[in-house]
Amino acid sequence: MKSGYKILWTDHAIYELKETVEYLENNWSEKELRKFSAKLDHTIELISKMPQIFPESIEKKNIRKAVVEKHNNLYYRINKNTVEIVSLFSNRKNPNKKKL
């Protein structure tokens, strides 16, 4: 069994992660922020070990969707030996602003 796929973040996904963390810092408690961080880390670890574990997105072919929690979805694509995270979308946003 493979030890895991390398995880790469697109610039857009990094921007969304920063935006999400900023929102959480301003609106959630420290405990909730740590809980979100743990869920995100766990989701990324699962993807690294078994990238096909989450279903393909309905919106775009070859993109998979992982629900981190009800407010945030992680979208990624599988390449040969890497997984590219393309979006960490906050479900509080307008769905038309989603860039996959």
Side-chain angles (χ1 to χ4, degrees):
M1 184 171 154
K2 291 185 178 182
S3 61
Y5 285 67
K6 183 176 180 178
I7 302 292
L8 303 173
W9 288 70
T10 63
D11 289 341
H12 177 72
I14 291 170
Y15 171 79
E16 288 182 320
L17 174 62
K18 289 178 182 177
E19 194 175 58
T20 299
V21 169
E22 187 176 298
Y23 174 84
L24 298 178
E25 287 174 339
N26 291 327
N27 295 286
W28 287 15
S29 71
E30 184 68 30
K31 180 180 177 183
E32 290 169 317
L33 185 57
R34 282 193 307 270
K35 192 174 179 181
F36 168 76
S37 179
K39 286 181 181 180
L40 180 60
D41 288 346
H42 178 70
T43 302
I44 291 170
E45 185 178 333
L46 284 174
I47 291 169
S48 174
K49 291 179 181 175
M50 299 175 286
Q52 292 86 6
I53 193 169
F54 294 105
E56 285 194 2
S57 169
I58 296 169
E59 293 119 335
K60 190 159 185 180
K61 191 175 178 178
N62 297 324
I63 298 288
R64 293 184 176 266
K65 174 184 171 183
V67 177
V68 178
E69 59 176 18
K70 67 180 178 178
H71 301 294
N72 296 282
N73 294 330
L74 189 69
Y75 292 90
Y76 65 97
R77 72 171 56 95
I78 304 167
N79 296 319
K80 290 182 182 180
N81 296 321
T82 62
V83 171
E84 183 179 36
I85 297 175
V86 295
S87 178
L88 176 64
F89 189 74
S90 172
N91 295 325
R92 292 177 289 275
K93 292 182 180 179
N94 180 341
N96 295 329
K97 293 186 177 186
K98 196 181 305 178
K99 293 183 181 180
L100 301 180

